[in-house]
Amino acid sequence: MKSDFPVLEPGWTAQEEMALLEAVMDCGFGNWQDVAYQMRTKSKEECEAHYMKNFINNPLFSSTLLNLRQIEEARTADTAIPFKPTDDPPRPTFDSLLSRDMAGYMPARADFMEEFDNYAEWDLKDIDFVDDDSDILHALKIAVVDIYHSRLKERGRRKKIIRDHGLINLRKFQILERRYPKEVQDLYDAMRRFARVVGPIEHDKFIESHALEFELRREIGRLQEYRRAGIQSFCSAKVYEHVKHVREDERRKRTMLVDVLQYIQDGRACQQWLSKQAAIDAGITPVVTTITTSATGRRSAPPLNLTGLPGTEKLNNREKELCQVVRLVPGAYLEYKQALLNECRRQGGLRLAQARALIKIDVNKTRKIYDFLIKEGYINKA
């Protein structure tokens, strides 16, 4: 966004207005020399005249402050305050489940067990104002007290945000968040940092409006899909949705079967897999059986499918074949290969026992990787 446009009067851009307010906050009201030094674009006379004209003697601000003062006086007038019975606030014991859920908040005291900036009072505990203090020491003590007041204001501001937005019980707040779709939850996380700027009602309205927009867009997309499919009634739309789900389930099952048949060219293995899938669809826990042969005992596992795995594009054809046979993902293979190459380069050679001590995996896999790297000339025997 651009901020080089005037706001209150010509010659002062919006960026300079914000810089002036920040400088007065940092340096203090009346310290125009330091304010101008921090501004760097205006003199101290210009800073003082502009600030006094627009922020102190501004009739608009004066009337606003007067209205606020009148409202405060009316609110605190000497009138009878009506009382009504209320529920007794919960008093969770220390370190109980309810106390942890409420982040240590004590409703009866409206305080937390551990406050923000919990040790702010430590800087004041040894301060004592005596008559024989020098002017510098007295001013220093006053500055420490002012700093403590600013820290108390920040503590109160944070507690007000927590109370207004209902953030004390975090678990309940997270449950409310989960009722939104995933896209709206991501927006909620992104906009949470701005909740301190706007009030809780405005923030909730903003999120709810975006949730409504998301629902409307999704509904419009669904209606557009019906229109493209030639559907003209909601009754036909229900039939279309049912057939669509059946078609997607069948396509997913066919894809799983093709992936299995691609590497298992064995009738018994395919039959076992089909029986297992049928048991899963029926809600029965499948019985896992091991297919063995009379000559070799346990059948070896099928080759690993490297499709879509990270690092596959960095392997040559022989390395891909090794990873498929050894059933090792490309990322792990590249890490082990680099470790063996570094160790071989450092020692001038590498033995199988050193390779096994370096990469903690199955010894048979380590031997195959070691023999492959020796055969391809990546490393040499010690």
Coordinates of all heavy atoms in Angstrom, one line a residue, residues 217-277:
R217 N -19.5 -20.2 -2.6 CA -18.7 -20.6 -3.8 C -18.7 -22.1 -4.1 O -18.8 -22.5 -5.2 CB -17.2 -20.1 -3.6 CG -17.0 -18.6 -3.6 CD -15.6 -18.3 -3.4 NE -15.3 -16.9 -3.5 CZ -15.1 -16.2 -4.6 NH1 -15.0 -16.9 -5.8 NH2 -14.9 -14.9 -4.6
R218 N -18.7 -22.9 -3.0 CA -18.8 -24.3 -3.2 C -20.1 -24.8 -3.7 O -20.2 -25.6 -4.6 CB -18.5 -25.0 -1.8 CG -18.4 -26.5 -1.9 CD -17.9 -27.2 -0.7 NE -18.7 -26.9 0.5 CZ -18.4 -27.3 1.7 NH1 -17.3 -28.0 1.9 NH2 -19.2 -27.0 2.7
E219 N -21.2 -24.1 -3.3 CA -22.5 -24.5 -3.8 C -22.7 -24.0 -5.2 O -23.3 -24.8 -6.1 CB -23.6 -23.8 -2.9 CG -25.0 -24.1 -3.3 CD -25.3 -25.6 -3.0 OE1 -24.6 -26.2 -2.2 OE2 -26.3 -26.1 -3.6
I220 N -22.1 -22.9 -5.6 CA -22.2 -22.4 -7.0 C -21.4 -23.4 -7.9 O -21.8 -23.7 -9.0 CB -21.6 -21.0 -7.1 CG1 -22.6 -20.0 -6.4 CG2 -21.4 -20.6 -8.5 CD1 -22.0 -18.6 -6.3
G221 N -20.2 -23.8 -7.4 CA -19.5 -24.8 -8.2 C -20.2 -26.1 -8.4 O -20.1 -26.7 -9.5
R222 N -20.9 -26.5 -7.3 CA -21.7 -27.8 -7.5 C -22.8 -27.6 -8.5 O -23.1 -28.5 -9.3 CB -22.3 -28.2 -6.1 CG -22.8 -29.6 -6.0 CD -22.8 -30.0 -4.6 NE -23.7 -29.2 -3.8 CZ -25.0 -29.5 -3.6 NH1 -25.5 -30.6 -4.0 NH2 -25.7 -28.7 -2.8
L223 N -23.5 -26.4 -8.4 CA -24.6 -26.2 -9.4 C -24.1 -26.1 -10.8 O -24.7 -26.5 -11.8 CB -25.3 -24.9 -9.0 CG -26.1 -25.0 -7.7 CD1 -26.7 -23.6 -7.3 CD2 -27.2 -26.0 -7.7
Q224 N -22.9 -25.5 -11.0 CA -22.3 -25.4 -12.3 C -21.9 -26.8 -12.8 O -22.1 -27.0 -14.0 CB -21.1 -24.5 -12.3 CG -21.4 -23.0 -12.1 CD -20.1 -22.2 -11.9 OE1 -19.0 -22.7 -11.6 NE2 -20.3 -20.9 -12.1
E225 N -21.5 -27.6 -11.9 CA -21.2 -29.0 -12.3 C -22.5 -29.7 -12.8 O -22.4 -30.5 -13.8 CB -20.5 -29.8 -11.2 CG -20.2 -31.2 -11.5 CD -19.7 -32.0 -10.3 OE1 -19.5 -31.4 -9.2 OE2 -19.3 -33.2 -10.5
Y226 N -23.6 -29.5 -12.1 CA -24.8 -30.1 -12.5 C -25.3 -29.6 -13.9 O -25.7 -30.3 -14.8 CB -25.9 -29.8 -11.5 CG -25.8 -30.4 -10.2 CD1 -26.4 -29.9 -9.0 CD2 -24.9 -31.5 -10.0 CE1 -26.2 -30.5 -7.8 CE2 -24.8 -32.1 -8.8 CZ -25.4 -31.6 -7.7 OH -25.2 -32.2 -6.4
R227 N -25.1 -28.3 -14.1 CA -25.4 -27.7 -15.4 C -24.6 -28.3 -16.5 O -25.1 -28.6 -17.6 CB -25.3 -26.1 -15.3 CG -25.6 -25.4 -16.6 CD -27.0 -25.6 -17.0 NE -27.9 -25.1 -16.0 CZ -28.3 -23.8 -15.9 NH1 -27.9 -22.9 -16.9 NH2 -29.1 -23.4 -15.0
R228 N -23.3 -28.5 -16.3 CA -22.4 -29.0 -17.3 C -22.9 -30.5 -17.6 O -22.7 -31.0 -18.8 CB -21.0 -29.0 -16.9 CG -20.4 -27.6 -17.0 CD -18.9 -27.6 -16.8 NE -18.5 -28.2 -15.5 CZ -18.2 -27.5 -14.4 NH1 -18.3 -26.2 -14.5 NH2 -17.9 -28.1 -13.3
A229 N -23.4 -31.2 -16.6 CA -23.8 -32.6 -16.8 C -25.2 -32.7 -17.4 O -25.7 -33.8 -17.6 CB -23.7 -33.3 -15.5
G230 N -25.8 -31.6 -17.6 CA -27.2 -31.6 -18.2 C -28.3 -31.8 -17.2 O -29.4 -32.2 -17.6
I231 N -28.0 -31.7 -15.9 CA -29.0 -31.9 -14.9 C -29.9 -30.7 -14.7 O -29.3 -29.6 -14.5 CB -28.4 -32.4 -13.6 CG1 -27.6 -33.7 -13.8 CG2 -29.4 -32.5 -12.5 CD1 -26.8 -34.1 -12.6
Q232 N -31.2 -30.8 -14.6 CA -32.1 -29.7 -14.5 C -33.0 -29.8 -13.3 O -33.8 -28.9 -13.1 CB -32.9 -29.6 -15.8 CG -32.1 -29.5 -17.1 CD -33.0 -29.4 -18.3 OE1 -34.3 -29.5 -18.2 NE2 -32.4 -29.2 -19.5
S233 N -32.9 -30.8 -12.4 CA -33.7 -30.9 -11.2 C -32.9 -31.4 -10.1 O -31.9 -32.1 -10.3 CB -34.9 -31.7 -11.5 OG -34.5 -33.1 -11.7
F234 N -33.2 -31.1 -8.8 CA -32.5 -31.6 -7.7 C -32.7 -33.1 -7.5 O -31.8 -33.7 -6.9 CB -32.9 -30.8 -6.4 CG -32.4 -29.4 -6.4 CD1 -33.2 -28.3 -6.6 CD2 -31.0 -29.2 -6.1 CE1 -32.7 -27.0 -6.6 CE2 -30.5 -27.9 -6.0 CZ -31.3 -26.8 -6.3
C235 N -33.8 -33.6 -7.9 CA -34.0 -35.0 -7.9 C -33.0 -35.8 -8.7 O -32.4 -36.8 -8.3 CB -35.5 -35.4 -8.3 SG -35.9 -37.1 -8.2
S236 N -32.8 -35.3 -9.9 CA -31.7 -35.9 -10.8 C -30.3 -35.7 -10.2 O -29.4 -36.5 -10.3 CB -31.8 -35.3 -12.2 OG -33.1 -35.5 -12.7
A237 N -30.2 -34.5 -9.5 CA -28.9 -34.3 -8.9 C -28.5 -35.3 -7.8 O -27.4 -35.7 -7.6 CB -28.8 -32.9 -8.3
K238 N -29.5 -35.8 -7.0 CA -29.3 -36.8 -6.0 C -28.8 -38.1 -6.6 O -27.9 -38.7 -6.2 CB -30.5 -37.0 -5.2 CG -30.9 -35.8 -4.3 CD -32.1 -36.2 -3.5 CE -32.5 -35.0 -2.6 NZ -33.7 -35.3 -1.8
V239 N -29.5 -38.5 -7.7 CA -29.1 -39.7 -8.5 C -27.7 -39.5 -9.0 O -26.8 -40.4 -9.0 CB -30.1 -40.0 -9.6 CG1 -29.6 -41.2 -10.4 CG2 -31.5 -40.2 -9.0
Y240 N -27.4 -38.3 -9.5 CA -26.0 -38.1 -10.1 C -25.0 -38.2 -9.0 O -23.9 -38.8 -9.2 CB -26.0 -36.7 -10.7 CG -24.7 -36.2 -11.1 CD1 -24.1 -36.6 -12.3 CD2 -24.0 -35.3 -10.3 CE1 -22.8 -36.1 -12.7 CE2 -22.7 -34.8 -10.7 CZ -22.1 -35.2 -11.9 OH -20.9 -34.8 -12.2
E241 N -25.2 -37.6 -7.8 CA -24.2 -37.7 -6.7 C -24.0 -39.1 -6.3 O -22.8 -39.6 -6.0 CB -24.7 -36.9 -5.5 CG -24.6 -35.4 -5.8 CD -23.2 -34.8 -5.8 OE1 -22.3 -35.5 -5.4 OE2 -23.1 -33.7 -6.2
H242 N -25.0 -39.9 -6.2 CA -24.9 -41.3 -5.8 C -24.1 -42.1 -6.8 O -23.1 -42.8 -6.5 CB -26.3 -42.0 -5.7 CG -26.2 -43.4 -5.4 ND1 -25.8 -43.9 -4.1 CD2 -26.5 -44.5 -6.1 CE1 -25.9 -45.3 -4.2 NE2 -26.3 -45.6 -5.4
V243 N -24.4 -41.9 -8.1 CA -23.6 -42.6 -9.2 C -22.2 -42.2 -9.2 O -21.3 -42.9 -9.4 CB -24.3 -42.4 -10.5 CG1 -23.5 -43.1 -11.6 CG2 -25.7 -43.0 -10.5
K244 N -22.0 -40.9 -8.9 CA -20.6 -40.3 -8.9 C -19.8 -40.9 -7.8 O -18.6 -41.3 -8.1 CB -20.7 -38.8 -8.7 CG -19.3 -38.1 -8.7 CD -19.5 -36.6 -8.4 CE -18.2 -36.0 -8.3 NZ -18.3 -34.5 -8.0
H245 N -20.3 -41.1 -6.6 CA -19.6 -41.7 -5.5 C -19.3 -43.2 -5.8 O -18.2 -43.7 -5.6 CB -20.4 -41.6 -4.2 CG -20.5 -40.2 -3.7 ND1 -19.4 -39.3 -3.7 CD2 -21.5 -39.5 -3.1 CE1 -19.8 -38.2 -3.2 NE2 -21.1 -38.3 -2.8
V246 N -20.2 -43.9 -6.4 CA -20.0 -45.3 -6.8 C -18.9 -45.4 -7.8 O -18.0 -46.3 -7.7 CB -21.3 -45.9 -7.3 CG1 -21.0 -47.3 -7.8 CG2 -22.4 -46.0 -6.2
R247 N -18.9 -44.5 -8.8 CA -17.9 -44.5 -9.8 C -16.5 -44.2 -9.2 O -15.5 -44.9 -9.6 CB -18.2 -43.5 -10.9 CG -17.3 -43.6 -12.1 CD -17.6 -42.4 -13.1 NE -18.9 -42.2 -13.3 CZ -19.6 -41.1 -13.0 NH1 -19.0 -40.1 -12.4 NH2 -20.9 -41.0 -13.4
E248 N -16.4 -43.3 -8.3 CA -15.1 -42.9 -7.7 C -14.6 -44.1 -6.9 O -13.4 -44.4 -6.9 CB -15.3 -41.7 -6.9 CG -15.5 -40.4 -7.7 CD -15.7 -39.2 -6.8 OE1 -15.8 -39.4 -5.6 OE2 -15.8 -38.1 -7.3
D249 N -15.5 -44.8 -6.1 CA -15.0 -45.9 -5.4 C -14.5 -47.0 -6.3 O -13.5 -47.6 -6.0 CB -16.2 -46.5 -4.5 CG -16.6 -45.5 -3.4 OD1 -15.8 -44.6 -3.1 OD2 -17.7 -45.6 -2.9
E250 N -15.2 -47.3 -7.3 CA -14.7 -48.3 -8.3 C -13.4 -48.0 -8.9 O -12.5 -48.8 -9.0 CB -15.8 -48.6 -9.3 CG -17.1 -49.2 -8.8 CD -16.9 -50.6 -8.3 OE1 -15.9 -51.3 -8.8 OE2 -17.6 -51.0 -7.4
R251 N -13.2 -46.7 -9.3 CA -12.0 -46.3 -9.8 C -10.8 -46.4 -8.9 O -9.7 -46.8 -9.2 CB -12.1 -44.8 -10.3 CG -10.8 -44.3 -11.1 CD -10.9 -42.9 -11.4 NE -12.0 -42.6 -12.4 CZ -13.1 -41.9 -12.1 NH1 -13.2 -41.4 -10.9 NH2 -14.0 -41.7 -13.0
R252 N -11.1 -46.1 -7.6 CA -10.1 -46.2 -6.6 C -9.7 -47.6 -6.3 O -8.5 -47.9 -6.2 CB -10.6 -45.6 -5.3 CG -9.5 -45.5 -4.2 CD -9.9 -44.6 -3.0 NE -11.3 -44.9 -2.5 CZ -12.3 -44.1 -2.7 NH1 -12.2 -43.0 -3.5 NH2 -13.5 -44.4 -2.2
K253 N -10.6 -48.5 -6.3 CA -10.3 -49.9 -6.1 C -9.5 -50.5 -7.3 O -8.6 -51.3 -7.1 CB -11.6 -50.7 -5.9 CG -12.3 -50.5 -4.6 CD -13.6 -51.3 -4.5 CE -14.3 -51.0 -3.2 NZ -15.6 -51.7 -3.0
R254 N -9.9 -50.1 -8.5 CA -9.2 -50.6 -9.7 C -7.7 -50.1 -9.7 O -6.8 -50.8 -10.0 CB -9.9 -50.1 -11.0 CG -11.1 -50.9 -11.3 CD -11.5 -50.7 -12.8 NE -11.7 -49.3 -13.1 CZ -12.8 -48.6 -13.0 NH1 -13.9 -49.3 -12.6 NH2 -12.9 -47.4 -13.4
T255 N -7.5 -48.8 -9.2 CA -6.2 -48.3 -9.2 C -5.3 -49.0 -8.2 O -4.2 -49.3 -8.4 CB -6.3 -46.8 -8.8 OG1 -7.1 -46.1 -9.7 CG2 -4.9 -46.1 -8.7
M256 N -5.9 -49.4 -7.0 CA -5.2 -50.2 -6.0 C -4.8 -51.5 -6.6 O -3.7 -52.0 -6.4 CB -6.0 -50.3 -4.7 CG -6.2 -49.0 -4.0 SD -7.4 -49.2 -2.6 CE -6.5 -50.4 -1.7
L257 N -5.7 -52.2 -7.3 CA -5.5 -53.5 -7.8 C -4.4 -53.4 -8.9 O -3.5 -54.3 -9.0 CB -6.8 -54.1 -8.4 CG -6.7 -55.5 -9.0 CD1 -6.2 -56.5 -7.9 CD2 -8.0 -55.9 -9.6
V258 N -4.4 -52.4 -9.7 CA -3.4 -52.3 -10.8 C -2.0 -52.1 -10.1 O -1.0 -52.7 -10.6 CB -3.7 -51.1 -11.7 CG1 -2.5 -50.7 -12.6 CG2 -4.9 -51.4 -12.6
D259 N -1.9 -51.3 -9.1 CA -0.6 -51.1 -8.4 C -0.1 -52.4 -7.8 O 1.1 -52.7 -7.9 CB -0.8 -50.1 -7.3 CG -1.0 -48.7 -7.8 OD1 -0.7 -48.5 -9.0 OD2 -1.5 -47.8 -7.1
V260 N -1.0 -53.2 -7.3 CA -0.5 -54.5 -6.7 C -0.1 -55.5 -7.8 O 1.0 -56.1 -7.8 CB -1.6 -55.1 -5.9 CG1 -1.3 -56.5 -5.4 CG2 -1.9 -54.2 -4.6
L261 N -0.9 -55.6 -8.9 CA -0.6 -56.5 -10.0 C 0.6 -56.1 -10.7 O 1.2 -56.9 -11.4 CB -1.8 -56.6 -10.9 CG -3.1 -57.3 -10.3 CD1 -4.2 -57.3 -11.4 CD2 -2.8 -58.7 -9.9
Q262 N 1.0 -54.9 -10.6 CA 2.2 -54.4 -11.4 C 3.5 -55.1 -10.9 O 4.4 -55.3 -11.6 CB 2.3 -52.9 -11.2 CG 3.5 -52.3 -12.1 CD 3.5 -50.8 -12.0 OE1 2.6 -50.2 -11.3 NE2 4.5 -50.2 -12.6
Y263 N 3.5 -55.4 -9.6 CA 4.7 -56.0 -9.0 C 4.5 -57.4 -8.5 O 5.5 -58.1 -8.1 CB 5.2 -55.1 -7.9 CG 5.6 -53.7 -8.4 CD1 4.8 -52.6 -8.1 CD2 6.8 -53.6 -9.1 CE1 5.2 -51.4 -8.6 CE2 7.2 -52.3 -9.6 CZ 6.4 -51.2 -9.3 OH 6.7 -50.0 -9.8
I264 N 3.3 -57.9 -8.3 CA 3.0 -59.2 -7.8 C 2.5 -60.1 -9.0 O 1.3 -60.0 -9.2 CB 2.1 -59.2 -6.6 CG1 2.6 -58.3 -5.5 CG2 1.9 -60.6 -6.1 CD1 1.7 -58.2 -4.3
Q265 N 3.3 -60.8 -9.7 CA 2.8 -61.6 -10.8 C 2.6 -63.0 -10.2 O 3.3 -64.0 -10.7 CB 3.8 -61.6 -11.9 CG 4.1 -60.2 -12.5 CD 2.9 -59.6 -13.1 OE1 2.0 -60.3 -13.6 NE2 2.8 -58.3 -13.1
D266 N 1.7 -63.1 -9.3 CA 1.5 -64.4 -8.7 C 0.0 -64.6 -8.3 O -0.6 -63.7 -7.7 CB 2.4 -64.5 -7.4 CG 2.2 -65.9 -6.7 OD1 3.0 -66.8 -7.1 OD2 1.4 -66.0 -5.8
G267 N -0.6 -65.7 -8.7 CA -2.0 -65.9 -8.5 C -2.4 -66.0 -7.1 O -3.4 -65.4 -6.6
R268 N -1.6 -66.7 -6.3 CA -1.9 -66.9 -4.8 C -1.8 -65.5 -4.1 O -2.7 -65.2 -3.2 CB -1.0 -67.9 -4.2 CG -1.2 -69.3 -4.7 CD -0.4 -70.3 -3.9 NE -0.7 -70.2 -2.5 CZ 0.1 -70.7 -1.5 NH1 1.2 -71.4 -1.8 NH2 -0.3 -70.7 -0.3
A269 N -0.8 -64.7 -4.4 CA -0.7 -63.5 -3.8 C -1.8 -62.5 -4.1 O -2.4 -61.8 -3.2 CB 0.7 -62.8 -4.1
C270 N -2.2 -62.5 -5.4 CA -3.4 -61.7 -5.8 C -4.7 -62.1 -5.1 O -5.5 -61.3 -4.6 CB -3.6 -61.7 -7.3 SG -2.2 -61.0 -8.2
Q271 N -4.8 -63.5 -5.0 CA -6.0 -64.0 -4.3 C -6.1 -63.6 -2.8 O -7.1 -63.2 -2.3 CB -6.1 -65.5 -4.5 CG -7.4 -66.1 -4.0 CD -8.6 -65.6 -4.7 OE1 -8.6 -65.4 -5.9 NE2 -9.7 -65.3 -4.0
Q272 N -4.9 -63.6 -2.2 CA -4.8 -63.3 -0.8 C -5.1 -61.8 -0.6 O -5.8 -61.4 0.3 CB -3.4 -63.5 -0.2 CG -3.2 -63.1 1.2 CD -1.8 -63.3 1.7 OE1 -0.9 -63.6 0.9 NE2 -1.5 -63.0 2.9
W273 N -4.6 -60.9 -1.5 CA -4.9 -59.5 -1.4 C -6.4 -59.2 -1.6 O -6.9 -58.4 -0.9 CB -4.0 -58.8 -2.5 CG -4.1 -57.3 -2.4 CD1 -3.4 -56.5 -1.6 CD2 -5.1 -56.5 -3.1 NE1 -3.8 -55.2 -1.8 CE2 -4.8 -55.1 -2.7 CE3 -6.1 -56.7 -4.1 CZ2 -5.5 -54.1 -3.2 CZ3 -6.8 -55.6 -4.6 CH2 -6.5 -54.3 -4.2
L274 N -7.0 -59.9 -2.6 CA -8.4 -59.7 -2.8 C -9.2 -60.1 -1.6 O -10.2 -59.5 -1.2 CB -8.8 -60.5 -4.1 CG -8.3 -59.9 -5.4 CD1 -8.7 -60.8 -6.6 CD2 -8.9 -58.5 -5.7
S275 N -8.9 -61.2 -1.0 CA -9.6 -61.7 0.2 C -9.4 -60.7 1.3 O -10.4 -60.4 2.1 CB -9.1 -63.1 0.6 OG -9.2 -64.0 -0.4
K276 N -8.2 -60.1 1.5 CA -8.0 -59.1 2.5 C -8.9 -57.9 2.3 O -9.5 -57.4 3.2 CB -6.5 -58.8 2.5 CG -6.2 -57.7 3.6 CD -4.7 -57.4 3.5 CE -4.3 -56.3 4.4 NZ -2.9 -55.9 4.4
Q277 N -8.9 -57.4 1.0 CA -9.8 -56.2 0.7 C -11.2 -56.5 1.0 O -12.0 -55.7 1.5 CB -9.5 -55.8 -0.7 CG -8.1 -55.2 -1.0 CD -7.8 -54.0 -0.1 OE1 -8.7 -53.2 0.0 NE2 -6.6 -54.0 0.4

